[in-house]
Amino acid sequence: MKSNILRSYAFNLSYARKLVEDVDEKLMAHSPGPGLENHPAFTLGHLCSAAAMTSRYLDGPYQFEPSWEPLFRRKGPGDPRLPESKLDVYPPKSKLMDKLEELHALVDELIHDMSENRFNDPVQWRFDSMYPTTGDLLFFMCVTHEAMHLGQLAAWRRAMGMDSALAKL
């Protein structure tokens, strides 16, 4: 399980890089329409928030900028807030990607160093009724959650008239 999660997590980071590498900084907080409010700036920051939370679940440090909390932390389905659309409230794309890469490296190391037995440990979190173990949580956070948001970003690219980033991997 560990190698599958780590391989998918690395793929997601590579895909995230491709999804935003050619996005003009001026468009990072632009929404092309309803249903596409999760623009690149929000998506990258939100994935940073998720990686920081994942580190904390693995007893690692929570390395997330306090000033970023109101911009990027969401409570999941049912949270009525939409991402802010003003570009000047967001960190630049390079800083968001640097932080995502840093947090990915931290989570990757924590998973790599983790005992295989820990994957079966029960964990209490928002979705523990469906994902009751640490392994389940890791699969959701490192694979499913990231892929959901990267898929939103891929749809955002297409709505903006941009080509497929997946084809560039």
Side-chain angles (χ1 to χ4, degrees), residues 117-149:
N117 294 337
R118 181 141 185 228
F119 280 89
N120 296 316
D121 287 352
V123 64
Q124 290 187 337
W125 68 302
R126 178 180 170 88
F127 296 119
D128 59 17
S129 66
M130 293 174 280
Y131 298 107
T133 68
T134 299
D136 293 327
L137 176 141
L138 289 173
F139 186 83
F140 179 83
M141 293 302 288
C142 297
V143 181
T144 306
H145 178 259
E146 281 212 342
M148 287 188 308
H149 286 290

PDB file of all heavy atoms in Angstrom, residues 117-149:
ATOM      1  N   ASN A 117       2.514  -1.468   9.838  1.00  0.00           N
ATOM      2  CA  ASN A 117       1.445  -1.744  10.800  1.00  0.00           C
ATOM      3  C   ASN A 117       0.568  -0.526  11.059  1.00  0.00           C
ATOM      4  O   ASN A 117      -0.611  -0.667  11.364  1.00  0.00           O
ATOM      5  CB  ASN A 117       2.021  -2.243  12.129  1.00  0.00           C
ATOM      6  CG  ASN A 117       2.681  -3.588  12.003  1.00  0.00           C
ATOM      7  OD1 ASN A 117       2.374  -4.359  11.088  1.00  0.00           O
ATOM      8  ND2 ASN A 117       3.607  -3.880  12.901  1.00  0.00           N
ATOM      9  N   ARG A 118       1.144   0.660  10.951  1.00  0.00           N
ATOM     10  CA  ARG A 118       0.391   1.878  11.243  1.00  0.00           C
ATOM     11  C   ARG A 118      -0.747   2.106  10.243  1.00  0.00           C
ATOM     12  O   ARG A 118      -1.719   2.783  10.549  1.00  0.00           O
ATOM     13  CB  ARG A 118       1.335   3.081  11.258  1.00  0.00           C
ATOM     14  CG  ARG A 118       0.590   4.367  11.582  1.00  0.00           C
ATOM     15  CD  ARG A 118       1.343   5.288  12.453  1.00  0.00           C
ATOM     16  NE  ARG A 118       0.497   6.415  12.801  1.00  0.00           N
ATOM     17  CZ  ARG A 118       0.859   7.668  12.734  1.00  0.00           C
ATOM     18  NH1 ARG A 118       2.076   7.977  12.366  1.00  0.00           N
ATOM     19  NH2 ARG A 118       0.029   8.629  13.060  1.00  0.00           N
ATOM     20  N   PHE A 119      -0.638   1.540   9.054  1.00  0.00           N
ATOM     21  CA  PHE A 119      -1.691   1.701   8.058  1.00  0.00           C
ATOM     22  C   PHE A 119      -3.030   1.172   8.577  1.00  0.00           C
ATOM     23  O   PHE A 119      -4.077   1.630   8.148  1.00  0.00           O
ATOM     24  CB  PHE A 119      -1.319   0.986   6.749  1.00  0.00           C
ATOM     25  CG  PHE A 119      -0.380   1.773   5.900  1.00  0.00           C
ATOM     26  CD1 PHE A 119       0.992   1.642   6.057  1.00  0.00           C
ATOM     27  CD2 PHE A 119      -0.863   2.654   4.946  1.00  0.00           C
ATOM     28  CE1 PHE A 119       1.862   2.377   5.277  1.00  0.00           C
ATOM     29  CE2 PHE A 119       0.009   3.389   4.167  1.00  0.00           C
ATOM     30  CZ  PHE A 119       1.374   3.254   4.333  1.00  0.00           C
ATOM     31  N   ASN A 120      -2.993   0.220   9.505  1.00  0.00           N
ATOM     32  CA  ASN A 120      -4.217  -0.382  10.039  1.00  0.00           C
ATOM     33  C   ASN A 120      -4.718   0.297  11.313  1.00  0.00           C
ATOM     34  O   ASN A 120      -5.768  -0.078  11.828  1.00  0.00           O
ATOM     35  CB  ASN A 120      -3.995  -1.869  10.311  1.00  0.00           C
ATOM     36  CG  ASN A 120      -3.716  -2.616   9.025  1.00  0.00           C
ATOM     37  OD1 ASN A 120      -4.378  -2.396   8.021  1.00  0.00           O
ATOM     38  ND2 ASN A 120      -2.725  -3.479   9.061  1.00  0.00           N
ATOM     39  N   ASP A 121      -3.993   1.299  11.813  1.00  0.00           N
ATOM     40  CA  ASP A 121      -4.420   1.989  13.027  1.00  0.00           C
ATOM     41  C   ASP A 121      -5.699   2.776  12.773  1.00  0.00           C
ATOM     42  O   ASP A 121      -5.824   3.457  11.743  1.00  0.00           O
ATOM     43  CB  ASP A 121      -3.343   2.974  13.506  1.00  0.00           C
ATOM     44  CG  ASP A 121      -2.135   2.293  14.110  1.00  0.00           C
ATOM     45  OD1 ASP A 121      -2.173   1.061  14.304  1.00  0.00           O
ATOM     46  OD2 ASP A 121      -1.149   2.999  14.379  1.00  0.00           O
ATOM     47  N   PRO A 122      -6.641   2.727  13.722  1.00  0.00           N
ATOM     48  CA  PRO A 122      -7.846   3.538  13.570  1.00  0.00           C
ATOM     49  C   PRO A 122      -7.500   5.026  13.698  1.00  0.00           C
ATOM     50  O   PRO A 122      -6.548   5.396  14.388  1.00  0.00           O
ATOM     51  CB  PRO A 122      -8.750   3.084  14.714  1.00  0.00           C
ATOM     52  CG  PRO A 122      -7.891   2.316  15.644  1.00  0.00           C
ATOM     53  CD  PRO A 122      -6.641   1.916  14.922  1.00  0.00           C
ATOM     54  N   VAL A 123      -8.253   5.851  13.001  1.00  0.00           N
ATOM     55  CA  VAL A 123      -8.025   7.296  13.047  1.00  0.00           C
ATOM     56  C   VAL A 123      -9.371   8.008  13.097  1.00  0.00           C
ATOM     57  O   VAL A 123     -10.336   7.565  12.472  1.00  0.00           O
ATOM     58  CB  VAL A 123      -7.174   7.762  11.832  1.00  0.00           C
ATOM     59  CG1 VAL A 123      -7.902   7.545  10.531  1.00  0.00           C
ATOM     60  CG2 VAL A 123      -6.743   9.210  11.963  1.00  0.00           C
ATOM     61  N   GLN A 124      -9.420   9.071  13.883  1.00  0.00           N
ATOM     62  CA  GLN A 124     -10.645   9.865  13.962  1.00  0.00           C
ATOM     63  C   GLN A 124     -10.462  11.121  13.124  1.00  0.00           C
ATOM     64  O   GLN A 124      -9.531  11.893  13.341  1.00  0.00           O
ATOM     65  CB  GLN A 124     -10.946  10.239  15.406  1.00  0.00           C
ATOM     66  CG  GLN A 124     -11.368   9.048  16.227  1.00  0.00           C
ATOM     67  CD  GLN A 124     -11.818   9.457  17.610  1.00  0.00           C
ATOM     68  OE1 GLN A 124     -11.448  10.504  18.129  1.00  0.00           O
ATOM     69  NE2 GLN A 124     -12.629   8.618  18.228  1.00  0.00           N
ATOM     70  N   TRP A 125     -11.356  11.271  12.150  1.00  0.00           N
ATOM     71  CA  TRP A 125     -11.341  12.454  11.290  1.00  0.00           C
ATOM     72  C   TRP A 125     -12.701  12.556  10.620  1.00  0.00           C
ATOM     73  O   TRP A 125     -13.587  11.739  10.850  1.00  0.00           O
ATOM     74  CB  TRP A 125     -10.181  12.393  10.299  1.00  0.00           C
ATOM     75  CG  TRP A 125     -10.273  11.336   9.231  1.00  0.00           C
ATOM     76  CD1 TRP A 125     -10.383   9.981   9.399  1.00  0.00           C
ATOM     77  CD2 TRP A 125     -10.266  11.547   7.826  1.00  0.00           C
ATOM     78  NE1 TRP A 125     -10.430   9.348   8.189  1.00  0.00           N
ATOM     79  CE2 TRP A 125     -10.367  10.282   7.202  1.00  0.00           C
ATOM     80  CE3 TRP A 125     -10.184  12.678   7.018  1.00  0.00           C
ATOM     81  CZ2 TRP A 125     -10.387  10.137   5.823  1.00  0.00           C
ATOM     82  CZ3 TRP A 125     -10.188  12.515   5.646  1.00  0.00           C
ATOM     83  CH2 TRP A 125     -10.294  11.258   5.063  1.00  0.00           C
ATOM     84  N   ARG A 126     -12.875  13.552   9.793  1.00  0.00           N
ATOM     85  CA  ARG A 126     -14.162  13.855   9.183  1.00  0.00           C
ATOM     86  C   ARG A 126     -14.804  12.663   8.472  1.00  0.00           C
ATOM     87  O   ARG A 126     -15.998  12.465   8.540  1.00  0.00           O
ATOM     88  CB  ARG A 126     -13.983  15.013   8.201  1.00  0.00           C
ATOM     89  CG  ARG A 126     -15.245  15.374   7.477  1.00  0.00           C
ATOM     90  CD  ARG A 126     -14.997  16.527   6.518  1.00  0.00           C
ATOM     91  NE  ARG A 126     -16.119  16.719   5.664  1.00  0.00           N
ATOM     92  CZ  ARG A 126     -17.168  17.481   5.926  1.00  0.00           C
ATOM     93  NH1 ARG A 126     -17.218  18.130   7.068  1.00  0.00           N
ATOM     94  NH2 ARG A 126     -18.164  17.596   5.072  1.00  0.00           N
ATOM     95  N   PHE A 127     -14.039  11.867   7.763  1.00  0.00           N
ATOM     96  CA  PHE A 127     -14.584  10.777   6.977  1.00  0.00           C
ATOM     97  C   PHE A 127     -14.259   9.396   7.554  1.00  0.00           C
ATOM     98  O   PHE A 127     -14.186   8.414   6.825  1.00  0.00           O
ATOM     99  CB  PHE A 127     -14.079  10.869   5.531  1.00  0.00           C
ATOM    100  CG  PHE A 127     -14.553  12.099   4.810  1.00  0.00           C
ATOM    101  CD1 PHE A 127     -13.637  13.018   4.328  1.00  0.00           C
ATOM    102  CD2 PHE A 127     -15.898  12.332   4.603  1.00  0.00           C
ATOM    103  CE1 PHE A 127     -14.058  14.162   3.661  1.00  0.00           C
ATOM    104  CE2 PHE A 127     -16.340  13.473   3.939  1.00  0.00           C
ATOM    105  CZ  PHE A 127     -15.418  14.394   3.464  1.00  0.00           C
ATOM    106  N   ASP A 128     -14.077   9.314   8.865  1.00  0.00           N
ATOM    107  CA  ASP A 128     -13.676   8.028   9.439  1.00  0.00           C
ATOM    108  C   ASP A 128     -14.761   6.957   9.346  1.00  0.00           C
ATOM    109  O   ASP A 128     -14.463   5.770   9.453  1.00  0.00           O
ATOM    110  CB  ASP A 128     -13.147   8.169  10.867  1.00  0.00           C
ATOM    111  CG  ASP A 128     -14.133   8.765  11.847  1.00  0.00           C
ATOM    112  OD1 ASP A 128     -15.350   8.809  11.562  1.00  0.00           O
ATOM    113  OD2 ASP A 128     -13.684   9.190  12.926  1.00  0.00           O
ATOM    114  N   SER A 129     -16.003   7.328   9.093  1.00  0.00           N
ATOM    115  CA  SER A 129     -17.029   6.301   8.918  1.00  0.00           C
ATOM    116  C   SER A 129     -16.819   5.535   7.607  1.00  0.00           C
ATOM    117  O   SER A 129     -17.208   4.378   7.490  1.00  0.00           O
ATOM    118  CB  SER A 129     -18.433   6.906   8.953  1.00  0.00           C
ATOM    119  OG  SER A 129     -18.638   7.760   7.842  1.00  0.00           O
ATOM    120  N   MET A 130     -16.185   6.189   6.634  1.00  0.00           N
ATOM    121  CA  MET A 130     -15.899   5.540   5.346  1.00  0.00           C
ATOM    122  C   MET A 130     -14.430   5.135   5.232  1.00  0.00           C
ATOM    123  O   MET A 130     -14.101   4.177   4.543  1.00  0.00           O
ATOM    124  CB  MET A 130     -16.256   6.477   4.200  1.00  0.00           C
ATOM    125  CG  MET A 130     -17.750   6.736   4.084  1.00  0.00           C
ATOM    126  SD  MET A 130     -18.141   7.970   2.834  1.00  0.00           S
ATOM    127  CE  MET A 130     -17.807   9.475   3.736  1.00  0.00           C
ATOM    128  N   TYR A 131     -13.562   5.895   5.881  1.00  0.00           N
ATOM    129  CA  TYR A 131     -12.120   5.680   5.826  1.00  0.00           C
ATOM    130  C   TYR A 131     -11.593   5.616   7.260  1.00  0.00           C
ATOM    131  O   TYR A 131     -11.053   6.597   7.769  1.00  0.00           O
ATOM    132  CB  TYR A 131     -11.442   6.822   5.064  1.00  0.00           C
ATOM    133  CG  TYR A 131     -11.873   6.944   3.619  1.00  0.00           C
ATOM    134  CD1 TYR A 131     -12.696   7.980   3.205  1.00  0.00           C
ATOM    135  CD2 TYR A 131     -11.430   6.021   2.675  1.00  0.00           C
ATOM    136  CE1 TYR A 131     -13.079   8.092   1.870  1.00  0.00           C
ATOM    137  CE2 TYR A 131     -11.811   6.126   1.346  1.00  0.00           C
ATOM    138  CZ  TYR A 131     -12.630   7.165   0.948  1.00  0.00           C
ATOM    139  OH  TYR A 131     -13.007   7.277  -0.365  1.00  0.00           O
ATOM    140  N   PRO A 132     -11.743   4.466   7.926  1.00  0.00           N
ATOM    141  CA  PRO A 132     -11.480   4.397   9.364  1.00  0.00           C
ATOM    142  C   PRO A 132     -10.021   4.223   9.796  1.00  0.00           C
ATOM    143  O   PRO A 132      -9.718   4.369  10.971  1.00  0.00           O
ATOM    144  CB  PRO A 132     -12.301   3.179   9.806  1.00  0.00           C
ATOM    145  CG  PRO A 132     -12.337   2.299   8.598  1.00  0.00           C
ATOM    146  CD  PRO A 132     -12.364   3.240   7.420  1.00  0.00           C
ATOM    147  N   THR A 133      -9.118   3.904   8.875  1.00  0.00           N
ATOM    148  CA  THR A 133      -7.730   3.648   9.284  1.00  0.00           C
ATOM    149  C   THR A 133      -6.787   4.722   8.747  1.00  0.00           C
ATOM    150  O   THR A 133      -7.134   5.479   7.830  1.00  0.00           O
ATOM    151  CB  THR A 133      -7.245   2.276   8.771  1.00  0.00           C
ATOM    152  OG1 THR A 133      -7.140   2.338   7.338  1.00  0.00           O
ATOM    153  CG2 THR A 133      -8.180   1.148   9.202  1.00  0.00           C
ATOM    154  N   THR A 134      -5.588   4.740   9.282  1.00  0.00           N
ATOM    155  CA  THR A 134      -4.570   5.675   8.796  1.00  0.00           C
ATOM    156  C   THR A 134      -4.290   5.437   7.320  1.00  0.00           C
ATOM    157  O   THR A 134      -4.138   6.379   6.548  1.00  0.00           O
ATOM    158  CB  THR A 134      -3.284   5.543   9.630  1.00  0.00           C
ATOM    159  OG1 THR A 134      -3.592   5.866  10.992  1.00  0.00           O
ATOM    160  CG2 THR A 134      -2.191   6.468   9.132  1.00  0.00           C
ATOM    161  N   GLY A 135      -4.240   4.183   6.905  1.00  0.00           N
ATOM    162  CA  GLY A 135      -4.040   3.873   5.489  1.00  0.00           C
ATOM    163  C   GLY A 135      -5.163   4.428   4.624  1.00  0.00           C
ATOM    164  O   GLY A 135      -4.924   4.969   3.538  1.00  0.00           O
ATOM    165  N   ASP A 136      -6.401   4.304   5.108  1.00  0.00           N
ATOM    166  CA  ASP A 136      -7.545   4.859   4.381  1.00  0.00           C
ATOM    167  C   ASP A 136      -7.430   6.384   4.263  1.00  0.00           C
ATOM    168  O   ASP A 136      -7.659   6.953   3.202  1.00  0.00           O
ATOM    169  CB  ASP A 136      -8.858   4.523   5.097  1.00  0.00           C
ATOM    170  CG  ASP A 136      -9.198   3.054   5.091  1.00  0.00           C
ATOM    171  OD1 ASP A 136      -8.869   2.360   4.106  1.00  0.00           O
ATOM    172  OD2 ASP A 136      -9.809   2.598   6.082  1.00  0.00           O
ATOM    173  N   LEU A 137      -7.097   7.020   5.381  1.00  0.00           N
ATOM    174  CA  LEU A 137      -6.936   8.472   5.382  1.00  0.00           C
ATOM    175  C   LEU A 137      -5.867   8.893   4.379  1.00  0.00           C
ATOM    176  O   LEU A 137      -6.072   9.827   3.599  1.00  0.00           O
ATOM    177  CB  LEU A 137      -6.571   8.966   6.785  1.00  0.00           C
ATOM    178  CG  LEU A 137      -6.290  10.461   6.905  1.00  0.00           C
ATOM    179  CD1 LEU A 137      -6.864  10.994   8.196  1.00  0.00           C
ATOM    180  CD2 LEU A 137      -4.801  10.748   6.836  1.00  0.00           C
ATOM    181  N   LEU A 138      -4.741   8.192   4.385  1.00  0.00           N
ATOM    182  CA  LEU A 138      -3.654   8.536   3.467  1.00  0.00           C
ATOM    183  C   LEU A 138      -4.064   8.349   2.013  1.00  0.00           C
ATOM    184  O   LEU A 138      -3.746   9.177   1.159  1.00  0.00           O
ATOM    185  CB  LEU A 138      -2.399   7.724   3.775  1.00  0.00           C
ATOM    186  CG  LEU A 138      -1.687   8.115   5.060  1.00  0.00           C
ATOM    187  CD1 LEU A 138      -0.559   7.142   5.354  1.00  0.00           C
ATOM    188  CD2 LEU A 138      -1.182   9.544   4.984  1.00  0.00           C
ATOM    189  N   PHE A 139      -4.771   7.262   1.739  1.00  0.00           N
ATOM    190  CA  PHE A 139      -5.225   7.045   0.365  1.00  0.00           C
ATOM    191  C   PHE A 139      -6.146   8.182  -0.059  1.00  0.00           C
ATOM    192  O   PHE A 139      -6.019   8.730  -1.153  1.00  0.00           O
ATOM    193  CB  PHE A 139      -5.932   5.695   0.219  1.00  0.00           C
ATOM    194  CG  PHE A 139      -6.267   5.388  -1.214  1.00  0.00           C
ATOM    195  CD1 PHE A 139      -5.314   4.838  -2.050  1.00  0.00           C
ATOM    196  CD2 PHE A 139      -7.516   5.685  -1.729  1.00  0.00           C
ATOM    197  CE1 PHE A 139      -5.597   4.588  -3.383  1.00  0.00           C
ATOM    198  CE2 PHE A 139      -7.814   5.435  -3.048  1.00  0.00           C
ATOM    199  CZ  PHE A 139      -6.853   4.886  -3.885  1.00  0.00           C
ATOM    200  N   PHE A 140      -7.071   8.571   0.817  1.00  0.00           N
ATOM    201  CA  PHE A 140      -7.984   9.662   0.483  1.00  0.00           C
ATOM    202  C   PHE A 140      -7.225  10.975   0.287  1.00  0.00           C
ATOM    203  O   PHE A 140      -7.385  11.643  -0.732  1.00  0.00           O
ATOM    204  CB  PHE A 140      -9.071   9.834   1.548  1.00  0.00           C
ATOM    205  CG  PHE A 140      -9.989  10.973   1.228  1.00  0.00           C
ATOM    206  CD1 PHE A 140     -11.050  10.804   0.350  1.00  0.00           C
ATOM    207  CD2 PHE A 140      -9.789  12.235   1.775  1.00  0.00           C
ATOM    208  CE1 PHE A 140     -11.891  11.852   0.019  1.00  0.00           C
ATOM    209  CE2 PHE A 140     -10.615  13.301   1.452  1.00  0.00           C
ATOM    210  CZ  PHE A 140     -11.672  13.115   0.572  1.00  0.00           C
ATOM    211  N   MET A 141      -6.415  11.354   1.264  1.00  0.00           N
ATOM    212  CA  MET A 141      -5.766  12.672   1.218  1.00  0.00           C
ATOM    213  C   MET A 141      -4.706  12.768   0.126  1.00  0.00           C
ATOM    214  O   MET A 141      -4.596  13.796  -0.549  1.00  0.00           O
ATOM    215  CB  MET A 141      -5.155  13.003   2.582  1.00  0.00           C
ATOM    216  CG  MET A 141      -6.178  13.203   3.680  1.00  0.00           C
ATOM    217  SD  MET A 141      -7.387  14.511   3.348  1.00  0.00           S
ATOM    218  CE  MET A 141      -6.362  15.956   3.554  1.00  0.00           C
ATOM    219  N   CYS A 142      -3.910  11.733  -0.042  1.00  0.00           N
ATOM    220  CA  CYS A 142      -2.781  11.788  -0.981  1.00  0.00           C
ATOM    221  C   CYS A 142      -3.168  11.425  -2.411  1.00  0.00           C
ATOM    222  O   CYS A 142      -2.462  11.797  -3.350  1.00  0.00           O
ATOM    223  CB  CYS A 142      -1.658  10.866  -0.512  1.00  0.00           C
ATOM    224  SG  CYS A 142      -0.959  11.337   1.070  1.00  0.00           S
ATOM    225  N   VAL A 143      -4.242  10.689  -2.574  1.00  0.00           N
ATOM    226  CA  VAL A 143      -4.628  10.240  -3.904  1.00  0.00           C
ATOM    227  C   VAL A 143      -5.971  10.862  -4.293  1.00  0.00           C
ATOM    228  O   VAL A 143      -6.043  11.712  -5.181  1.00  0.00           O
ATOM    229  CB  VAL A 143      -4.683   8.692  -3.990  1.00  0.00           C
ATOM    230  CG1 VAL A 143      -5.068   8.243  -5.388  1.00  0.00           C
ATOM    231  CG2 VAL A 143      -3.347   8.084  -3.569  1.00  0.00           C
ATOM    232  N   THR A 144      -7.043  10.474  -3.630  1.00  0.00           N
ATOM    233  CA  THR A 144      -8.385  10.880  -4.033  1.00  0.00           C
ATOM    234  C   THR A 144      -8.603  12.386  -3.925  1.00  0.00           C
ATOM    235  O   THR A 144      -9.038  13.026  -4.884  1.00  0.00           O
ATOM    236  CB  THR A 144      -9.435  10.125  -3.190  1.00  0.00           C
ATOM    237  OG1 THR A 144      -9.188   8.727  -3.294  1.00  0.00           O
ATOM    238  CG2 THR A 144     -10.836  10.442  -3.653  1.00  0.00           C
ATOM    239  N   HIS A 145      -8.352  12.964  -2.762  1.00  0.00           N
ATOM    240  CA  HIS A 145      -8.598  14.399  -2.556  1.00  0.00           C
ATOM    241  C   HIS A 145      -7.784  15.235  -3.533  1.00  0.00           C
ATOM    242  O   HIS A 145      -8.297  16.159  -4.158  1.00  0.00           O
ATOM    243  CB  HIS A 145      -8.282  14.787  -1.103  1.00  0.00           C
ATOM    244  CG  HIS A 145      -8.461  16.231  -0.821  1.00  0.00           C
ATOM    245  ND1 HIS A 145      -7.396  17.103  -0.765  1.00  0.00           N
ATOM    246  CD2 HIS A 145      -9.571  16.971  -0.600  1.00  0.00           C
ATOM    247  CE1 HIS A 145      -7.850  18.320  -0.505  1.00  0.00           C
ATOM    248  NE2 HIS A 145      -9.170  18.270  -0.402  1.00  0.00           N
ATOM    249  N   GLU A 146      -6.512  14.898  -3.666  1.00  0.00           N
ATOM    250  CA  GLU A 146      -5.684  15.666  -4.605  1.00  0.00           C
ATOM    251  C   GLU A 146      -6.197  15.513  -6.031  1.00  0.00           C
ATOM    252  O   GLU A 146      -6.289  16.493  -6.765  1.00  0.00           O
ATOM    253  CB  GLU A 146      -4.220  15.232  -4.516  1.00  0.00           C
ATOM    254  CG  GLU A 146      -3.516  15.834  -3.347  1.00  0.00           C
ATOM    255  CD  GLU A 146      -2.051  16.081  -3.611  1.00  0.00           C
ATOM    256  OE1 GLU A 146      -1.466  15.509  -4.535  1.00  0.00           O
ATOM    257  OE2 GLU A 146      -1.474  16.897  -2.861  1.00  0.00           O
ATOM    258  N   ALA A 147      -6.529  14.291  -6.425  1.00  0.00           N
ATOM    259  CA  ALA A 147      -7.003  14.061  -7.789  1.00  0.00           C
ATOM    260  C   ALA A 147      -8.304  14.805  -8.061  1.00  0.00           C
ATOM    261  O   ALA A 147      -8.505  15.330  -9.165  1.00  0.00           O
ATOM    262  CB  ALA A 147      -7.168  12.569  -8.052  1.00  0.00           C
ATOM    263  N   MET A 148      -9.191  14.882  -7.071  1.00  0.00           N
ATOM    264  CA  MET A 148     -10.443  15.624  -7.257  1.00  0.00           C
ATOM    265  C   MET A 148     -10.141  17.086  -7.590  1.00  0.00           C
ATOM    266  O   MET A 148     -10.697  17.645  -8.539  1.00  0.00           O
ATOM    267  CB  MET A 148     -11.314  15.566  -5.996  1.00  0.00           C
ATOM    268  CG  MET A 148     -11.965  14.240  -5.757  1.00  0.00           C
ATOM    269  SD  MET A 148     -13.169  14.219  -4.385  1.00  0.00           S
ATOM    270  CE  MET A 148     -12.280  14.919  -3.020  1.00  0.00           C
ATOM    271  N   HIS A 149      -9.257  17.688  -6.817  1.00  0.00           N
ATOM    272  CA  HIS A 149      -8.952  19.105  -7.033  1.00  0.00           C
ATOM    273  C   HIS A 149      -8.124  19.328  -8.298  1.00  0.00           C
ATOM    274  O   HIS A 149      -8.309  20.331  -8.993  1.00  0.00           O
ATOM    275  CB  HIS A 149      -8.287  19.710  -5.800  1.00  0.00           C
ATOM    276  CG  HIS A 149      -9.265  19.929  -4.699  1.00  0.00           C
ATOM    277  ND1 HIS A 149     -10.242  20.896  -4.755  1.00  0.00           N
ATOM    278  CD2 HIS A 149      -9.449  19.272  -3.522  1.00  0.00           C
ATOM    279  CE1 HIS A 149     -10.979  20.850  -3.661  1.00  0.00           C
ATOM    280  NE2 HIS A 149     -10.520  19.870  -2.900  1.00  0.00           N
TER     281      HIS A 149
END
